[in-house]
Amino acid sequence: MVIAGLASFIMLPINLKYLGKEVYGISILATSFLTMFQFLSFGLSPTLLRFFSNAINKDDKTEIENIASTSIFILGGLGCLGAIIFLVSYPNFLSFYEIPKTYHLSLFILFLVMAFGFWETFYLIPFYALIQGSNRFDSASLNRIIAVLLRVSMLYCGYKILTPSLLVIALALLTESIFRLCFVQLLAFRLHGKRAFFQFKNLSLRMIPALFSFSLLTLIDSTCYSAAYQIPILIIGKVMDKEMVAAFYPAILFSSFFSSIIRMAVIPFVPLASKNAIQQGGNSLGKWSIWIGELVAFVAICLSMIVIISLKELIPIWIDDESLAWTSRTIVVLTVGAVIAAIQGVNYNLALGASTIVPCAVSRIVVVILTSMGTFLGTTFWNWSILQVAFCIAIVFVTRTVVLDYIYSRLFRYRFLHYIWNVYGKTTLIAIPFIILGLWLKSHLPFQLSMIGIIVYDGVFALSYLIISWVFVLNKELKMAISDVIPFKKYFIKR
């Protein structure tokens, strides 16, 4: 997700330049529409990570075979079903969003490629879960990096060599899907041999209820996470226009990218939490929640600080379109809200490995209802701008986070106020002076910063914030634990 986010940052101004706002807006609507079918995965991705982690920790090869064959059978079929439904919905998509006839053929080809990519994504879910459950996050990340770089290269070359259109996007997506399909299966085979692949004799009907009973919760959480972003886009596309979709998309891109950095960074704690639950009864979860939450919060607030300080100057340089410079406040609001909310990912992943994610799943439903209704009512009856939509979404996100912090304080047995202070209070108080100083200095500079200048300027503030936080704020016991894997610990930690 992080690598895909970086690619989106690079390609957004290029797509706008070559495709224009209307065509690019159509491609975003098609992507958002397809995302709504993700519920067909039934949340099996994190479920399989948990199941594979448990089986690998127990060294149960038969269980691994049963999980792999059963999940591939289920998800391959569900992916095929979703692809068919998506294609059948094509005429309705054209009429609902009033797509001009000029784009009908190229959009249909894009739909075909996206449908194949949808199936391929579902089919590969068990393979990714098996690789990550084997603690090979590095290999899984390398695959994603290469696949995304391939897609970006195909897009750029296609725009330069061919006529810029939706067909170029289709070609790039198809190339990425085929590469991923080959690479991931090969990697899974190298790790677990034939056990990683579907074998009819290993299909376990008794495992299906166990997978779905747990996956219902992860289904709700993952589907609603996407819906909280995608439904407002679809509403904006219908109530406002396609150009407003293109204007709101940078806010979605920034917020989902930065929150994805945090969400992906804490996924490795799923197998660790599972191991702790098996071997120690989950005694360390409360301490881990505060420690990891505090560390993640400093990174999250640092990212938010950079967005607040420099985004206004960065947008015209990045997108190269002065007409979208006004969207900077929308991006800041939604990004800060999403990043603060993503800190809760620590508790989610600890609970995924060793406890219950019922509170996360239920609260996600509430979030989707509130953000969808807020966006619809605001844009339809109260003439909301996209900035007001962003405020609505951000407030709902942050409120959910605080509620979940309290609920998990009861489950993991940590003090709620102690957690709030350490994770959110200290990090925010340190960041406020940096934000004020950064904005003040920038407003008094006698010259305009270039892209490189903005990166250096932000880097200085970010590094200063992290160093001061590390030396003066972070818990000493936490720093001692981190120092075990930091080679230069003697320079930063006093024993």
Side-chain angles (χ1 to χ4, degrees):
M1 294 175 71
V2 176
I3 303 303
L6 279 174
S8 298
F9 271 108
I10 296 171
M11 291 309 302
L12 187 145
I14 297 175
N15 285 328
L16 282 173
K17 177 182 177 181
Y18 285 99
L19 296 177
K21 293 178 185 177
E22 183 182 34
V23 178
Y24 187 49
I26 291 172
S27 70
I28 294 171
L29 285 173
T31 303
S32 298
F33 181 55
L34 179 61
T35 302
M36 299 307 299
F37 292 93
Q38 289 291 339
F39 74 92
L40 287 171
S41 71
F42 286 93
L44 284 171
S45 180
T47 299
L48 290 173
L49 175 56
R50 175 181 175 133
F51 275 61
F52 277 127
S53 297
N54 288 338
I56 292 169
N57 283 324
K58 296 174 183 177
D59 196 26
D60 190 338
K61 293 180 173 59
T62 301
E63 187 76 359
I64 293 173
E65 291 176 341
N66 292 340
I67 297 171
S69 294
T70 305
S71 58
I72 290 172
F73 176 78
I74 293 172
L75 284 165
L78 290 172
C80 186
L81 175 64
I84 293 172
I85 296 174
F86 177 66
L87 289 175
V88 170
S89 303
Y90 172 72
N92 296 326
F93 181 87
L94 292 180
S95 59
F96 187 77
Y97 287 106
E98 300 175 353
I99 306 298
K101 290 185 178 180
T102 312
Y103 307 120
H104 283 196
L105 178 59
S106 59
L107 183 59
F108 178 69
I109 295 174
L110 179 61
F111 261 57
L112 286 173
V113 173
M114 291 174 71
F116 171 75
F118 183 85
W119 169 82
E120 170 259 343
T121 300
F122 272 49
Y123 172 74
L124 291 181
I125 286 174
F127 294 95
Y128 272 116
L130 181 58
I131 293 168
Q132 293 175 328
S134 304
N135 270 325
R136 293 304 304 271
F137 290 90
D138 54 340
S139 299
S141 298
L142 177 63
N143 163 256
R144 290 188 172 97
I145 291 172
I146 297 174
V148 168
L149 287 176
L150 189 61
R151 170 164 55 89
V152 170
S153 301
M154 290 294 295
L155 275 173
Y156 185 75
C157 293
Y159 289 150
K160 287 291 186 180
I161 300 172
L162 307 173
T163 302
S165 68
L166 295 173
L167 293 176
V168 174
I169 298 178
L171 178 62
L173 290 176
L174 181 61
T175 305
E176 180 186 20
S177 294
I178 293 174
F179 169 79
R180 245 190 347 244
L181 197 61
C182 298
F183 186 98
V184 174
Q185 291 184 94
L186 178 61
L187 179 57
F189 178 77
R190 291 187 62 184
L191 290 174
H192 294 277
K194 293 182 180 179
R195 287 190 297 274
F197 292 86
F198 174 77
Q199 300 178 61
F200 189 79
K201 65 178 182 179
N202 293 325
L203 184 61
S204 176
L205 296 179
R206 65 169 180 81
M207 185 168 287
I208 295 177
L211 286 172
F212 277 99
S213 62
F214 186 85
S215 69
L216 177 61
L217 298 175
T218 54
L219 162 68
I220 294 171
D221 185 81
S222 59
T223 302
C224 291
Y225 173 77
S226 298
Y229 283 113
Q230 305 303 332
I231 292 179
I233 288 181
L234 295 173
I235 293 173
I236 289 171
K238 181 62 178 177
V239 178
M240 296 182 176
D241 55 48
K242 301 175 189 66
E243 292 194 2
M244 280 296 101
V245 171
F248 190 67
Y249 184 68
I252 297 292
L253 177 59
F254 263 89
S255 58
S256 60
F257 170 67
F258 285 127
S259 60
S260 293
I261 292 177
I262 301 167
R263 287 166 62 89
M264 295 297 291
V266 295
I267 284 180
F269 289 101
V270 174
L272 292 178
S274 177
K275 184 176 181 180
N276 182 262
I278 292 172
Q279 297 180 354
Q280 301 178 27
N283 292 332
S284 301
L285 296 181
K287 181 171 65 176
W288 287 2
S289 179
I290 295 177
W291 282 9
I292 303 169
E294 185 177 349
L295 189 63
V296 169
F298 274 108
V299 176
I301 298 299
C302 181
L303 293 174
S304 300
M305 182 179 70
I306 292 172
V307 171
I308 293 172
I309 290 175
S310 293
L311 195 63
K312 183 178 179 181
E313 290 79 19
L314 182 62
I315 291 295
I317 300 175
W318 171 47
I319 299 181
D320 194 25
D321 188 344
E322 290 290 341
S323 66
L324 291 177
W326 61 274
T327 63
S328 61
R329 288 187 296 173
T330 302
I331 299 173
V332 168
V333 169
L334 190 57
T335 301
V336 172
V339 166
I340 293 174
I343 298 172
Q344 178 56 229
V346 174
N347 282 337
Y348 171 79
N349 282 284
L350 291 177
L352 182 62
S355 183
T356 176
I357 60 169
V358 170
C360 294
V362 173
S363 60
R364 286 284 189 201
I365 297 175
V366 177
V367 165
V368 171
I369 293 173
L370 292 178
T371 54
S372 301
M373 292 200 59
T375 302
F376 175 75
L377 294 174
T379 55
T380 304
F381 299 106
W382 304 323
N383 295 320
W384 275 9
S385 65
I386 58 173
L387 175 60
Q388 290 167 306
V389 172
F391 265 113
C392 173
I393 297 173
I395 290 171
V396 174
F397 280 5
V398 174
T399 303
R400 171 187 181 265
T401 298
V402 176
V403 172
L404 285 177
D405 288 335
Y406 175 77
I407 293 173
Y408 279 110
S409 71
R410 317 299 295 177
L411 295 174
F412 293 161
R413 298 186 297 277
Y414 61 73
R415 289 179 294 155
F416 173 65
L417 293 179
H418 178 71
Y419 178 93
I420 292 295
W421 167 246
N422 281 277
V423 175
Y424 301 107
K426 292 191 298 186
T427 54
T428 303
L429 285 177
I430 301 250
I432 289 174
F434 280 94
I435 293 173
I436 294 174
L437 180 62
L439 292 173
W440 184 83
L441 285 177
K442 185 169 290 185
S443 66
H444 287 77
L445 288 176
F447 53 86
Q448 187 76 24
L449 289 174
S450 63
M451 175 71 83
I452 300 299
I454 291 175
I455 293 174
V456 173
Y457 187 85
D458 290 343
V460 170
F461 274 89
L463 187 60
S464 302
Y465 170 78
L466 292 175
I467 290 176
I468 289 177
S469 300
W470 175 269
V471 175
F472 298 106
V473 182
L474 274 180
N475 182 283
K476 185 177 180 181
E477 194 176 2
L478 170 61
K479 290 190 286 186
M480 295 289 287
I482 297 173
S483 70
D484 292 335
V485 293
I486 297 180
F488 48 86
K489 58 188 176 184
K490 62 183 180 180
Y491 298 109
F492 292 92
I493 301 172
K494 295 180 180 179
R495 293 187 176 274

